[in-house]
Amino acid sequence: MLNRLAAEFAAEIANHDWSDAPYRLDRAGHHRDHDTNRGKQVLEPAEADAIRTNVMWVAAQVLKHADPNLDLHEFAEACGVPRRFTHTKHGQLNGMIDAGIRMRDGQALTPGGDFGG
């Protein structure tokens, strides 16, 4: 079960419409269907999923550093990261989500610091 902070991060990430993220600055919780200032450029769904996943990893880096017990797959799914990124085609957890976190010796690296290697 996600802690309160992780659940709140996940809810914000999942709630945001990422389809036009590279083209404009948005407030938290942006949804194009409620926006009167919609731009014409939008991403393909797979491109928006990639942005959502990258945002999830950035938040997860901080959360995993603060709470080594954070379940990365549960957090990713709560953020709305597509199942195809979190599971194999046979339904098992894959390593993609874990691989997005900078780790050393089993510990998440300090946010904003070393990029591992």
Side-chain angles (χ1 to χ4, degrees):
M1 177 175 202
L2 295 177
N3 66 34
R4 182 190 62 81
L5 188 59
E8 289 177 359
F9 268 112
E12 247 339 279
I13 292 167
N15 188 45
H16 196 82
D17 180 344
W18 296 100
S19 66
D20 59 1
Y23 309 114
R24 56 180 288 169
L25 295 175
D26 295 321
R27 64 178 182 80
H30 164 72
H31 284 277
R32 286 179 55 78
D33 54 344
H34 296 116
D35 194 346
T36 58
N37 187 28
R38 269 182 248 159
K40 292 181 179 157
Q41 287 183 288
V42 293
L43 297 171
E44 294 295 323
E47 294 169 320
D49 286 343
I51 289 175
R52 178 183 297 104
T53 303
N54 279 312
V55 169
M56 177 278 302
W57 273 321
V58 168
Q61 184 71 41
V62 176
L63 292 167
K64 186 74 170 172
H65 182 261
D67 179 4
N69 296 315
L70 175 71
D71 184 320
L72 292 171
H73 282 85
E74 181 182 9
F75 181 66
E77 290 174 14
C79 288
V81 171
R83 188 169 174 84
R84 71 181 185 278
F85 292 171
T86 61
H87 290 76
T88 67
K89 63 183 175 182
H90 302 294
Q92 299 159 319
L93 296 179
N94 69 25
M96 178 180 169
I97 298 302
D98 295 316
I101 302 299
R102 297 184 326 278
M103 305 281 288
R104 181 175 296 131
D105 301 324
Q107 300 293 317
L109 293 176
T110 303
D114 189 0
F115 278 94

